[in-house]
Amino acid sequence: QKIVHVIANHIYGFYNPDRALHLVNIVSLAPLQEPNRVTEMLASYWAPLGLQAKAFYADMDFKSDVRDYLVGQAWKAEMEGYDISLVQHAPLTVASIPRTFLHEAMVTLVLLDANSVFNTEEEMLMNSLKERVGDKPIVICLINAERYVIEEFTGLLPPYTFLRRLGYRLMHFGLTARG
């Protein structure tokens, strides 16, 4: 639950009240076990705050292999009535995301599964996505990761109890380090 708070606040930092459309693309490179979980959690996080967040899902609310999605613009009118529109696209290994979605978005959230290997195909898809979004920000969310894996990158995470600090220092051979 805390991580949803962090991701939601980070995404909301890109909110521009002068724009009519506040679109967040949610993309995975490969199919996930629970593809809609993050999108649902973000939408439910913003609801009690009074923000009208609406989630749109590939193959439920729109088809990613039809002309309206690929080149149409009708989707803009449907999404403009909300404070934040979350669009959960099909995985990039299955379908491409039209350029208009990438350029109209305030941010693109990329979901990566910690339990899968980042292969060459996914690396190519990620590089292509980075090129296509241009100057729009990309936020990467590592899902299904154990706490110790995340702490390898971030350092010790809260709560900072004596035993957790001691265990962390033992794991990282930090007993002789100062500070």
Side-chain angles (χ1 to χ4, degrees):
Q1 221 32 321
K2 275 187 172 181
I3 194 65
V4 173
H5 172 78
V6 171
I7 293 170
N9 283 340
H10 190 69
I11 289 172
Y12 191 74
F14 299 107
Y15 187 88
N16 182 353
D18 297 333
R19 294 189 59 165
L21 182 63
H22 300 98
L23 171 67
V24 176
N25 290 314
I26 301 175
V27 183
S28 63
L29 300 179
L32 301 172
Q33 292 290 334
E34 299 177 64
N36 301 337
R37 188 170 137 227
V38 173
T39 306
E40 292 166 355
M41 291 169 71
L42 286 170
S44 64
Y45 174 83
W46 280 315
L49 300 175
L51 291 172
Q52 294 179 340
K54 170 77 169 142
F56 298 90
Y57 301 96
D59 299 326
M60 289 176 17
D61 297 314
F62 63 92
K63 298 288 181 194
S64 57
D65 58 354
V66 296
R67 185 181 193 287
D68 288 343
Y69 171 76
L70 296 171
V71 296
Q73 298 291 316
W75 55 270
K76 283 186 187 179
E78 187 177 347
M79 294 180 187
E80 283 181 350
Y82 298 99
D83 294 324
I84 297 176
S85 298
L86 302 164
V87 180
Q88 174 77 48
H89 295 278
L92 289 179
T93 54
V94 175
S96 181
I97 301 173
R99 186 176 295 270
T100 53
F101 275 94
L102 297 174
H103 286 275
E104 291 289 333
M106 60 183 194
V107 65
T108 298
L109 178 66
V110 178
L111 305 177
L112 298 177
D113 191 351
N115 296 327
S116 67
V117 178
F118 195 73
N119 60 33
T120 305
E121 180 186 9
E122 291 174 350
E123 184 179 354
M124 290 171 46
L125 289 170
M126 186 66 181
N127 289 337
S128 172
L129 180 65
K130 282 193 255 182
E131 287 176 19
R132 292 175 57 217
V133 297
D135 63 342
K136 301 289 182 167
I138 294 178
V139 175
I140 296 176
C141 177
L142 189 61
I143 59 173
N144 299 325
E146 297 293 329
R147 181 184 195 103
Y148 72 90
V149 173
I150 295 171
E151 287 181 345
E152 287 289 322
F153 294 98
T154 63
L156 183 65
L157 296 171
Y160 301 113
T161 63
F162 172 75
L163 288 176
R164 286 205 66 242
R165 278 192 217 138
L166 181 63
Y168 182 80
R169 291 180 79 181
L170 282 171
M171 273 182 40
H172 294 91
F173 307 108
L175 289 178
T176 59
R178 298 184 190 259

